[in-house]
Amino acid sequence: MLLLRLAAQDLLALNERRRLVPHLAARWVHFQRGESSDGERAAWAESLVSLARDLVAAERGNVEMIVECSPTVDSSEGAERVGQIDVVLVGRHPVEGNLSVQLVELKQWSSVTRVEAATAGLVYVPGIEDPVAHPALQLGEYHALFTGPTGPLSGLQFECGGFAYLYNATDDSVRALLGADAPTGPYARTYTRDTRARLLKDLQSHFAAGDDYSAAEYILHRMNLRNTPLLDAMVNSNGEDTVFTLRDRQKEVADDVLEASELILDSPDREALVPRPQRAVFLITGGAGTGKSAIGLQLRAVLEGAGRTVKYASGSRAFNAAIKENVGYTEAEFRERFTHFGAFVETPKPPLDVLICDEAHRLRDMSKNWRLPAERQGTEPQVDELLKASRLTVFFLDGAQTVRPDDVGTAQLIKDAAKRHGAVLRQYDLVEQYRCGGSDAYLRWVRALLGVSPQKAHEWVPDGLMHIEVVDTPDEMERIVRTEFDAGATARMVAGFCWPWSKPDKRKNLENDVRIEGWHRPWNADSTSFCANGEPPLKIWPVHDAGIGQIGCVYTAQGLEWDWCGVIMGDDMVWRTDRWVFQRGKLRKDRETGVKRVAKPGSVDPKVRVSTLDDDEFERCVRHAYHVLLTRASRATVVYSTDEETRKYLKKLVGETDIHGLRPTQGAIPPELRTVRPVGGARGRRARRARNKARLKNEMVLF
């Protein structure tokens, strides 16, 4: 749990705009703590602002404040017993230069009395019936959890202390907390408004006045809020295993599937005299970034290691192609492990032990491929083919990512199929998400903006986990994204399907199809090889460095993510007064060049703009496409709309972006936490062999 992460000066700016408390209240509800009381809201408004003002007064406005933070990474490891600490202050030590942390309890108490003369551990507070512990004792427990084996500070080199701040009290009114017999230690200091000057001086002794980068990133990284992007995790594993740490609900789901595999499947060590007839279907639903693919890939690795016959099928050809090209599998190794939904027209003999179906929302009605002969075309529902192909089938599904009319995958479709086949069905829902910097607030904002959820669109509140800004020109969008890319971040530009998509010409030159006034760029190459100016082929566009110069769409971006993503919203979805308007476009062919151009602005996606698709379904496909595009970034999204009224509306919702330090530039990340982007996108099989050869040579030199 974490409600907010902002530098003190940014928190004050947010409060001045009256957006601080509403954001904290919304986050409080999200973590299933119910509606916040008037007292809690008043405490946030007063206590957090008081502390932030003191930091600014001490010329330490750069110090980051992590609000309502769990003291352990795993909520099951003691955090429930202790609760959340009010604030964690994070910065750099002014002398040592290393991480400096102060744990803070903010108390609204104006006076206290000792429970009994013999102890200073318990006190009475007016308005609270039962005696409460001295804040120093509470801070001691937090310190033990934060620095313990399951804490986000475990193993780090840092200075860590703590203090209680009673900003409404005087020394005399809380004398029971300040006696000679009060708890002592680096986290046992207590300040009142009488000792504010000492607090400011101590803050200066704990924190440096300026930071080269965000020290809070260390804690966010340890709290698993900065997940390794899915494809990068697979690349780092060299295809031998995955490197995901499943947490909480993710681990529960994975353990359940593994347990069921032991109960339902025959032993892989010996042939069964009478094979077990039972089948099982696991249906796991969850939004973007909830860990569906991480669970699936981890299950594949564990089950394969246990001797089971396993296939990993995906509805995203782009994701499959990226894994094949970059993880380091040979052609045979890839075909043995990964496939597509349409590969099971013929049922395997014998059936697979386990078939893992990722992105099941992209299931088709039937398996049809115009490249294949008639006898290899599906004749029954694709979901039935998948169930027949294995004894245990795992479906991962997100209903908000259906982006084409022929995407028929729904929870009900899978339930009905399981019933037809007499399979045991277990369903799970994943809620906690780890994409978009772990900012559930950002995902909720995007869904509300697009009308994908019933929540009304509302102003975006910077939370320090995810960043969004709206720009006036595509040039500005590209400049921001390229700047971060040049600094070492992963980044791409994507757009709604509102321009024609030309194939490379005979000389392998790309047409600049995406044309916005004087700004012209090509789509990513519809090619199986590199093009004339070094543009990468379709299958490696998402991960090759040269892909930064082309524009991707929902079909090449789905299932992937980057640190930064520039999103162009076209004329297929525009804001008019008080509602979204959806438009189908038309193309024309230039008489001189034969190149297609836009004749009528709007969607020109050949699968979506067709007149046979009713308006409701057309709108759903466009909304969901932008939902995918706006959730591809793990740190920041930069949005440009081709429509002026839409830009004004988006700017109104996003608000100003000039709050100091909110843009999470590559330079703001501690050097050791920056993801190293392979130069030139050399992440495939040949690159892997070269790296292994170099490593072997180095080892020989060492010994």
Side-chain angles (χ1 to χ4, degrees):
M1 177 171 170
L2 183 154
L3 295 193
L4 186 71
R5 168 270 188 126
L6 286 179
Q9 55 203 7
D10 296 335
L11 186 144
L12 291 179
L14 199 62
N15 183 64
E16 289 171 3
R17 297 174 187 178
R18 300 186 178 182
R19 293 163 73 178
L20 172 64
V21 174
H23 170 75
L24 293 173
R27 291 279 284 171
W28 193 257
V29 171
H30 172 75
F31 285 107
Q32 300 178 341
R33 295 186 172 270
E35 294 291 338
S36 53
S37 66
D38 292 341
E40 285 165 334
R41 289 170 176 252
W44 288 329
E46 189 175 350
S47 61
L48 293 175
V49 171
S50 294
L51 180 59
R53 285 173 177 162
D54 289 338
L55 283 161
V56 171
E59 298 181 345
R60 298 297 185 268
N62 57 287
V63 172
E64 293 171 282
M65 301 172 63
I66 300 178
V67 179
E68 294 283 357
C69 177
S70 296
T72 60
V73 174
D74 187 342
S75 60
S76 64
E77 298 290 338
E80 191 65 32
R81 175 175 60 86
V82 176
Q84 281 70 42
I85 190 167
D86 291 341
V87 181
V88 179
L89 299 180
V90 191
R92 286 188 302 113
H93 194 273
V95 178
E96 304 297 331
N98 58 335
L99 185 67
S100 182
V101 178
Q102 291 290 312
L103 309 177
V104 184
E105 275 296 297
L106 298 169
K107 302 297 185 184
Q108 287 187 294
W109 306 344
S110 56
S111 64
V112 300
T113 55
R114 189 171 294 192
V115 171
E116 53 185 69
T119 178
L122 292 174
V123 294
Y124 281 120
V125 178
I128 301 177
E129 184 176 349
D130 296 323
V132 298
H134 192 293
L137 299 178
Q138 193 174 9
L139 285 166
E141 291 186 73
Y142 285 136
H143 182 271
L145 287 170
F146 265 102
T147 58
T150 62
L153 297 176
S154 176
L156 292 177
Q157 295 295 319
F158 64 97
E159 179 199 75
C160 184
F163 60 87
Y165 189 18
L166 287 74
Y167 48 90
N168 285 329
T170 64
D171 282 358
D172 285 339
S173 66
V174 293
R175 188 62 63 185
L177 301 176
L178 307 174
D181 55 351
T184 59
Y187 42 80
R189 288 167 286 122
T190 301
Y191 300 98
T192 69
R193 66 170 180 251
D194 286 345
T195 51
R196 181 173 179 267
R198 181 161 59 88
L199 169 62
L200 301 190
K201 185 177 180 181
D202 287 347
L203 289 172
Q204 291 172 339
S205 70
H206 293 306
F207 299 107
D211 282 332
D212 297 328
Y213 48 76
S214 166
E217 284 290 334
Y218 288 108
I219 294 180
L220 298 184
H221 185 77
R222 291 303 187 92
M223 294 178 73
N224 300 312
L225 290 172
R226 297 300 193 201
N227 256 22
T228 303
L230 188 65
L231 185 58
D232 287 342
M234 289 293 290
V235 170
N236 293 339
S237 72
N238 286 331
E240 297 164 5
D241 198 348
T242 55
V243 291
F244 304 110
T245 301
L246 302 183
R247 297 180 293 277
D248 299 330
R249 184 64 167 167
Q250 296 174 347
K251 191 173 187 304
E252 288 177 18
V253 172
D255 288 346
D256 233 21
V257 175
L258 293 172
E259 183 180 337
S261 72
E262 296 298 320
L263 297 174
I264 293 172
L265 302 176
D266 302 303
S267 171
D269 300 329
R270 59 185 183 277
E271 186 176 349
L273 296 175
V274 181
R276 303 178 192 177
Q278 192 175 17
R279 292 176 182 268
V281 171
F282 286 81
L283 172 58
I284 298 116
T285 59
T290 50
K292 299 184 297 297
S293 296
I295 296 172
L297 290 166
Q298 192 72 17
L299 285 174
R300 186 206 62 75
V302 173
L303 289 165
E304 187 180 85
R308 302 294 185 187
T309 56
V310 187
K311 284 270 191 180
Y312 190 97
S314 173
S316 170
R317 293 186 186 275
F319 180 64
N320 270 5
I323 289 179
K324 179 180 178 181
E325 184 67 22
N326 297 283
V327 172
Y329 292 120
T330 64
E331 182 74 24
E333 288 171 339
F334 180 81
R335 289 184 179 277
E336 185 180 346
R337 292 170 170 84
F338 296 90
T339 188
H340 192 266
F341 292 158
F344 296 97
V345 172
E346 295 181 13
T347 303
K349 302 293 184 184
L352 299 166
D353 289 330
V354 182
L355 177 59
I356 299 169
C357 300
D358 201 357
E359 301 206 34
H361 40 272
R362 300 196 68 178
L363 284 169
R364 300 290 187 258
D365 184 26
M366 288 187 181
S367 298
K368 298 293 183 183
N369 188 334
W370 61 270
R371 298 182 182 87
L372 300 177
E375 63 270 18
R376 295 183 62 185
Q377 304 288 348
T379 58
E380 62 180 333
Q382 191 176 71
V383 67
D384 288 297
E385 294 173 355
L386 298 175
L387 287 181
K388 288 181 179 179
S390 64
R391 295 275 306 282
L392 194 154
T393 316
V394 186
F395 292 96
F396 294 97
L397 184 147
D398 177 6
Q401 291 199 55
T402 53
V403 296
R404 298 180 92 162
D406 50 359
D407 289 344
V408 300
T410 63
Q412 193 58 51
L413 177 88
I414 293 169
K415 290 177 184 178
D416 292 343
K419 187 175 181 180
R420 284 197 302 274
H421 289 265
V424 174
L425 175 74
R426 293 186 184 178
Q427 183 173 355
Y428 305 86
D429 187 33
L430 301 172
V431 177
E432 296 85 0
Q433 72 86 29
Y434 302 95
R435 185 171 284 170
C436 300
S439 175
D440 60 274
Y442 175 77
L443 284 180
R444 285 186 283 110
W445 182 85
V446 168
R447 291 169 66 86
L449 167 72
L450 300 174
V452 174
S453 72
Q455 187 179 14
K456 289 185 178 180
H458 54 276
E459 290 185 332
W460 164 245
V461 177
D463 61 357
L465 300 177
M466 185 65 188
H467 176 70
I468 182 169
E469 56 186 281
V470 181
V471 295
D472 290 315
T473 66
D475 287 286
E476 187 179 0
M477 178 203 70
E478 183 175 20
R479 178 185 58 77
I480 294 171
V481 171
R482 276 185 175 273
T483 297
E484 294 307 313
F485 178 81
D486 292 341
T490 56
R492 282 297 180 274
M493 296 180 289
V494 297
F497 205 149
C498 297
W499 294 269
W501 201 321
S502 305
K503 289 183 178 293
D505 64 18
K506 292 181 180 180
R507 295 183 178 181
K508 306 222 64 177
N509 289 302
L510 296 183
E511 180 65 34
N512 287 325
D513 287 314
V514 182
R515 305 172 75 86
I516 304 170
E517 297 179 349
W519 188 84
H520 304 161
R521 296 292 181 274
W523 290 107
N524 57 259
D526 186 359
S527 169
T528 58
S529 60
F530 281 88
C531 292
N533 296 307
E535 299 93 344
L538 175 69
K539 62 184 179 181
I540 62 171
W541 169 81
V543 292
H544 196 283
D545 276 6
I548 189 65
Q550 305 95 54
I551 312 300
C553 81
V554 64
Y555 305 122
T556 49
Q558 194 165 28
L560 301 167
E561 60 184 309
W562 306 279
D563 296 329
W564 285 73
C565 189
V567 179
I568 300 173
M569 293 187 70
D571 287 296
D572 52 350
M573 185 173 179
V574 296
W575 184 259
R576 293 293 178 262
T577 309
D578 59 354
R579 62 191 178 92
W580 288 110
V581 173
F582 299 85
Q583 303 179 136
R584 303 177 204 240
K586 290 183 180 179
L587 298 175
R588 62 174 176 81
K589 185 175 287 189
D590 188 282
R591 291 182 179 179
E592 295 182 5
T593 63
V595 175
K596 290 182 179 179
R597 293 284 182 251
V598 174
K600 177 185 176 183
S603 173
V604 296
D605 185 336
K607 297 288 186 180
V608 173
R609 71 181 173 114
V610 292
S611 58
T612 53
L613 191 68
D614 66 50
D615 290 343
D616 288 344
E617 187 67 6
F618 172 71
E619 291 181 12
R620 182 186 68 82
C621 289
V622 174
R623 289 182 199 269
H624 285 196
Y626 282 118
H627 177 260
V628 170
L629 297 180
L630 287 167
T631 55
R632 294 307 93 193
S634 61
R635 288 187 176 274
T637 302
V638 184
V639 183
Y640 167 77
S641 172
T642 54
D643 178 73
E644 184 178 2
E645 185 175 347
T646 305
R647 286 199 303 274
K648 289 180 179 178
Y649 174 64
L650 292 172
K651 282 190 170 185
K652 178 182 176 183
L653 290 183
V654 171
E656 300 175 42
T657 56
D658 60 350
I659 299 178
H660 170 79
L662 281 185
R663 183 184 282 176
T665 62
Q666 189 73 355
I669 305 169
E672 58 269 40
L673 297 183
R674 296 172 192 167
T675 301
V676 179
R677 192 184 74 240
V679 177
R683 301 177 0 162
R685 190 165 61 254
R686 291 181 183 176
R688 179 187 172 192
R689 288 173 180 168
R691 288 194 299 270
N692 288 341
K693 186 176 180 180
R695 188 173 67 245
L696 265 174
K697 183 178 180 180
N698 289 336
E699 289 173 355
M700 292 172 67
V701 171
L702 286 172
F703 291 100

